Amino acid sequence: DAGITQSPRHKVTETGTPVTLRCHQTENHRYMYWYRQDPGHGLRLIHYSYGVKDTDKGEVSDGYSVSRSKTEDFLLTLESATSSQTSVYFCAIRGLGEAFFGQGTRLTVV
Amino acid sequence: QQPVQSPQAVILREGEDAVINCSSSKALYSVHWYRQKHGEAPVFLMILLKGGEQKGHEKISASFNEKKQQSSLYLTASQLSYSGTYFCGTEVQGNTPLVFGKGTRLSVIA
């Protein structure tokens, strides 16, 4: 199994609070991605990274920011959480071929 | 722009066959197929590169029609373990982020 870990696995937070999700890899892969998964929408790309300090927006990036200061860590921040950001968040890593997904973070904004 | 998957859902009896389709409005470099079981992360099945290549994995195979920008996943002699949601992920250039379809829920019953 690819070495990819997401933390936390579950989180409940209040509307308006900032939240940071962490993705950590031990594979030294260049590419890292954050997706959100919602019923009826599949997996939608939030942000992605091509390398350290090299990030770009995906299709649903509003309200989210990311940082990648080290190859192994990719952080996703919800600047001010809203109920519409209640979702399951998956991090993925990729070398030259397939993508490997973390186990997901279930985030509930109340 | 998300690729379109069809059907949205299918129910099979053990031993029956199924086909899941994925189509894109854009010229594609590759198509990836993943399977996700309930509460788990998506797991890679196979990659198809442009050129009409067909690949196989156990009793699951796939094809990619480059001219039509369509890929099909073939599941033969289905087993209970095949149940899950199948996603296609498309890539317009090498090493660009995968864009996923909304998924096809496959249920195999005894």
Side-chain angles (χ1 to χ4, degrees):
Chain A
D1 290 345
I4 176 170
T5 305
Q6 291 185 231
S7 60
R9 293 291 312 279
H10 302 273
K11 186 171 182 66
V12 179
T13 192
E14 293 186 348
T15 299
T17 60
V19 177
T20 295
L21 308 182
R22 181 182 184 233
C23 178
H24 178 78
Q25 62 149 331
T26 57
E27 304 295 323
N28 200 37
H29 283 333
R30 178 181 177 187
Y31 305 100
M32 298 186 77
Y33 312 91
W34 278 107
Y35 290 91
R36 62 177 289 176
Q37 185 172 33
D38 306 286
H41 291 278
L43 293 155
R44 292 183 292 173
L45 182 67
I46 306 172
H47 280 279
Y48 58 100
S49 172
Y50 287 103
V52 173
K53 296 184 180 179
D54 189 0
T55 65
D56 208 344
K57 296 179 179 180
E59 62 180 308
V60 291
S61 61
D62 287 349
Y64 302 95
S65 62
V66 290
S67 66
R68 192 171 178 195
S69 58
K70 298 185 290 186
T71 299
E72 57 266 34
D73 290 325
F74 192 32
L75 304 180
L76 176 71
T77 298
L78 288 67
E79 294 144 7
S80 178
T82 67
S83 58
S84 65
Q85 293 175 312
T86 292
S87 186
V88 178
Y89 292 85
F90 284 101
C91 175
I93 61 175
R94 192 173 173 204
L96 297 178
E98 68 267 34
F100 298 96
F101 286 82
Q103 289 304 301
T105 295
R106 183 173 294 275
L107 178 69
T108 302
V109 183
V110 297
Chain B
Q1 198 166 6
Q2 284 183 295
V4 177
Q5 286 187 233
S6 63
Q8 291 184 338
V10 59
I11 300 174
L12 301 174
R13 292 196 178 276
E14 275 187 295
E16 292 182 338
D17 302 338
V19 180
I20 300 172
N21 300 302
C22 174
S23 64
S24 174
S25 59
K26 296 185 176 182
L28 298 177
Y29 173 79
S30 72
V31 179
H32 297 220
W33 286 97
Y34 293 78
R35 177 171 62 204
Q36 184 181 31
K37 294 188 178 288
H38 183 69
E40 299 181 5
V43 174
F44 170 76
L45 292 176
M46 64 190 76
I47 295 176
L48 299 104
L49 301 177
K50 62 181 180 181
E53 183 178 358
Q54 182 153 353
K55 292 193 125 182
H57 176 77
E58 299 176 344
K59 293 182 181 178
I60 301 174
S61 61
S63 63
F64 177 25
N65 186 321
E66 180 185 349
K67 291 181 180 179
K68 294 185 177 180
Q69 307 307 327
Q70 292 177 348
S71 178
S72 295
L73 186 70
Y74 307 95
L75 300 98
T76 58
S78 59
Q79 306 168 13
L80 294 175
S81 62
Y82 287 1
S83 293
T85 301
Y86 290 78
F87 292 98
C88 67
T90 57
E91 186 180 32
V92 295
Q93 281 183 281
N95 296 318
T96 53
L98 291 173
V99 179
F100 289 92
K102 294 183 178 181
T104 295
R105 179 173 291 182
L106 181 77
S107 300
V108 181
I109 58 176

